[in-house]
Amino acid sequence: MKTPILGAFLLTMMFSCKPSVKNQASESAAKTDDSIMQIARKTFKILPSVAESKDNPLTPSKVKLGKLLYFDTRLSMTGKNSCNSCHNLATYGVDNKATSTGDAGQQGNRNSPTVFNAALHNMQFWDGRAKDVEEQAGMPILNPVEMAIPHKGFLVNRLSSVKLYQDMFKKAFPDEKKPVSYANLQKAIGAFERTLLTPSRFDKYMAGDKTAITSEEKAGLKVFFDSGCNNCHFGVGIGGGTLQKFGLVTNYRTLTRSKMDDEGRKKVTKNPADKDVFKVPGLRNSAGTYPYFHDGSIADLDTAVKIMGKAQLNKNLTDAEVKMIVAFLNSLSGNINPDDKIAPPELVKNRN
């Protein structure tokens, strides 16, 4: 017959040796958290401090000139538009319009993508027709709808007549006899754009800080993986690295009710197989880069996520799943350097 003291002792030992349900749940959650973090590190990359280029080495003088050019409306024919007009650095690098208004008041036919972190992408424009931000920088300037400069020489002559630009181009490109050139304009703007990176809480999480994002955001990251979103949205930009048909499962127009019949990359290649093929957008700062898709047809992020689930993955995401994915996307909203939002003081002082 067991004494009361011995019975109590055995009972205490039994419960002290067996982990509580609460502890087991905590350990399981920690393992899940570690597993998700490992998958994230394999799928994505932490944002670097700048987007370096072998072909366009960054220098302070070149970046400073690039910022001046980025904000200068003299890069458009009538002087109404600058790069910042459509890619506003105060609003996550977009103008939050479905399509942008050009220099002469004409409307563009595609949504202006964000310039933040774009230098890390493998291509530029919705149809991927430019290989990098330097090539991209020169195209809207000569586009008759966007900035409407008639030819490269016109703009070179315009900038060459400005003493400020004479001095700044010479400082940025000291080894060239004629530093004020269209190619150097592209390099300077590209250099500035290579500094426009926005580190986020998610980057801290990727670096090992498990508290940097919330439990809801982690749950959203898991749904993001479980749903297959990472098949297209991967890498340092969480997208921006590949071209993909929009509407793998069903015609996207039936979901977005798009008013424009844009056939995407087919317009560039003339290849029927490229119909409705577009660059996969990067998802960094996506909470602030509305409206969404190449035609700006969808105003809110929840709807855009739901449409992507159906159009690309043939999944009818529940409202709860959408909410969790959007929570994860919110963790990708980064920090914008306050100085980047403000036009250079030299531009105001020297505007002719």
Side-chain angles (χ1 to χ4, degrees):
M1 181 175 179
K2 296 179 182 176
T3 65
I5 294 176
L6 181 59
F9 174 76
L10 292 173
L11 194 63
T12 302
M13 287 296 291
M14 182 172 65
F15 279 102
S16 63
C17 292
K18 185 177 181 180
S20 68
V21 174
K22 186 176 181 180
N23 286 342
Q24 287 178 325
S26 179
E27 290 174 5
S28 177
K31 288 181 180 178
T32 301
D33 195 5
D34 289 340
S35 175
I36 293 172
M37 181 181 281
Q38 292 306 314
I39 296 171
R41 285 173 168 173
K42 290 178 181 178
T43 307
F44 311 122
K45 289 182 180 178
I46 298 173
L47 207 67
S49 56
V50 294
E52 295 286 359
S53 169
K54 293 184 297 183
D55 300 323
N56 187 25
L58 305 189
T59 64
S61 297
K62 197 184 295 183
V63 171
K64 186 176 181 179
L65 171 60
K67 181 178 181 181
L68 196 75
L69 291 164
Y70 188 91
F71 278 90
D72 199 341
T73 57
R74 280 175 289 208
L75 269 64
S76 64
M77 186 63 192
T78 68
K80 294 178 181 177
N81 275 20
S82 68
C83 302
N84 195 64
S85 298
C86 299
H87 305 281
N88 191 338
L89 300 186
T91 54
Y92 283 108
V94 300
D95 57 10
N96 295 127
K97 298 177 181 178
T99 60
S100 301
T101 305
D103 184 58
Q106 298 181 68
Q107 207 65 24
N109 59 2
R110 284 180 181 162
N111 179 259
S112 294
T114 179
V115 70
F116 283 113
N117 309 304
L120 296 169
H121 295 182
N122 292 347
M123 64 197 78
Q124 305 297 319
F125 293 113
W126 280 104
D127 53 25
R129 67 184 182 275
K131 68 179 184 298
D132 53 33
V133 288
E134 286 79 12
E135 184 176 13
Q136 184 278 332
M139 292 182 173
I141 297 170
L142 303 176
N143 186 295
V145 173
E146 296 180 56
M147 298 172 85
I149 292 294
H151 56 83
K152 295 178 181 179
F154 180 94
L155 184 57
V156 170
N157 289 337
R158 177 183 279 186
L159 298 181
S160 295
S161 67
V162 180
K163 180 65 165 58
L164 176 65
Y165 277 127
Q166 293 172 13
D167 296 340
M168 291 189 71
F169 269 92
K170 186 175 181 179
K171 192 172 182 180
F173 302 95
D175 299 327
E176 299 191 20
K177 292 182 179 180
K178 294 183 178 180
V180 184
S181 68
Y182 201 82
N184 285 344
L185 172 146
Q186 291 177 259
K187 288 180 181 179
I189 295 175
F192 172 58
E193 292 184 357
R194 289 182 177 279
T195 69
L196 297 177
L197 306 187
T198 57
S200 66
R201 289 185 294 112
F202 184 68
D203 292 293
K204 292 182 179 179
Y205 172 74
M206 292 263 288
D209 183 354
K210 295 179 182 179
T211 66
I213 65 176
T214 68
S215 57
E216 185 182 21
E217 290 165 347
K218 292 172 187 174
L221 176 57
K222 186 175 186 306
V223 176
F224 187 88
F225 284 132
D226 290 345
S227 300
C229 304
N230 58 298
N231 290 334
C232 295
H233 295 282
F234 55 83
V236 66
I238 313 184
T242 58
L243 293 158
Q244 185 62 265
K245 180 180 176 67
F246 185 18
L248 283 173
V249 179
T250 184
N251 189 325
Y252 74 84
R253 298 164 185 81
T254 63
L255 301 171
T256 62
R257 299 181 181 178
S258 297
K259 296 179 180 179
M260 292 182 289
D261 189 19
D262 190 334
E263 294 188 327
R265 189 163 172 78
K266 179 185 173 184
K267 187 176 180 180
V268 177
T269 65
K270 312 304 179 185
N271 185 348
D274 287 333
K275 182 179 184 294
D276 296 345
V277 169
F278 295 92
K279 174 188 171 184
V280 175
L283 296 182
R284 289 181 177 273
N285 302 313
S286 54
T289 58
Y290 56 88
Y292 303 101
F293 304 138
H294 62 277
D295 54 6
S297 56
I298 300 300
D300 70 277
L301 190 52
D302 292 60
T303 303
V305 169
K306 191 175 265 300
I307 287 173
M308 288 300 290
K310 185 62 180 177
Q312 303 305 107
L313 303 166
N314 200 26
K315 291 182 180 291
N316 293 310
L317 295 171
T318 66
D319 291 343
E321 289 173 324
V322 169
K323 183 180 178 182
M324 285 189 285
I325 291 175
V326 170
F328 159 60
L329 296 179
N330 285 334
S331 76
L332 301 176
S333 294
N335 301 315
I336 299 174
N337 184 342
D339 291 339
D340 290 336
K341 301 178 183 181
I342 305 169
E346 299 93 336
L347 188 61
V348 179
K349 293 177 183 177
N350 291 274
R351 190 70 171 91
N352 293 332

